[in-house]
Amino acid sequence: MDLDRRPDAMMLEGACVNFARAVEADILVQIEGLVIVTEIHSNKAGEVISIKKRKNPAVEISSKAWMIVRAFCSEFGLSPVSRTRLAIGKDGGIEDDLAKLLSQPRSPKPHKGGTETVQ
């Protein structure tokens, strides 16, 4: 089975890029928190007149990147469930011939000293 494995390299790169993106987003969430608070100041005195809260965009980035990593891991057989689905095809090569030969019962060989056979 001589397949072109160049597409595997691109898939692996996609998995690595999204893994790095997920980890970076998780670090940002850890530093900044799940919610970003923005203070709104008045123009004249500089006092805080309101506070605006919004979801940290890194939460969504992390979530999507981890979903993509999970999909790539499934494609590469790197999750417990995907490993159970792996099938190895037999190509009828030398290994199969050797396995067949070794699985056969041994034929009796004549003993050097006479007509007795030893198994």
Side-chain angles (χ1 to χ4, degrees):
M1 215 162 99
D2 189 25
L3 298 175
D4 183 11
R5 290 178 178 77
R6 285 179 288 183
D8 291 349
M10 291 182 284
M11 293 277 288
L12 185 59
E13 182 180 2
C16 293
V17 166
N18 280 283
F19 177 78
R21 184 174 294 144
V23 169
E24 186 177 349
D26 288 345
I27 291 169
L28 283 174
V29 170
Q30 188 175 11
I31 293 169
E32 298 172 353
L34 293 171
V35 177
I36 295 177
V37 177
T38 306
E39 296 177 345
I40 300 172
H41 299 274
S42 69
N43 291 339
K44 298 177 184 175
E47 295 177 0
V48 176
I49 58 170
S50 179
I51 295 174
K52 180 180 177 184
K53 294 182 180 180
R54 62 184 174 97
K55 182 172 86 171
N56 190 336
V59 173
E60 179 107 10
I61 293 168
S62 169
S63 178
K64 285 184 179 179
W66 280 117
M67 286 174 50
I68 294 169
V69 169
R70 180 178 178 207
F72 277 118
C73 288
S74 180
E75 288 290 323
F76 279 105
L78 298 176
S79 70
V81 173
S82 64
R83 278 194 298 274
T84 62
R85 293 188 208 133
L86 288 178
I88 300 172
K90 293 184 178 182
D91 60 356
I94 296 172
E95 294 85 11
D96 291 339
D97 294 339
L98 181 60
K100 183 178 176 182
L101 178 68
L102 293 175
S103 66
Q104 293 177 354
R106 293 176 52 191
S107 58
K109 299 201 180 208
H111 189 276
K112 290 185 179 180
T115 57
E116 298 177 32
T117 58
V118 178
Q119 289 197 3

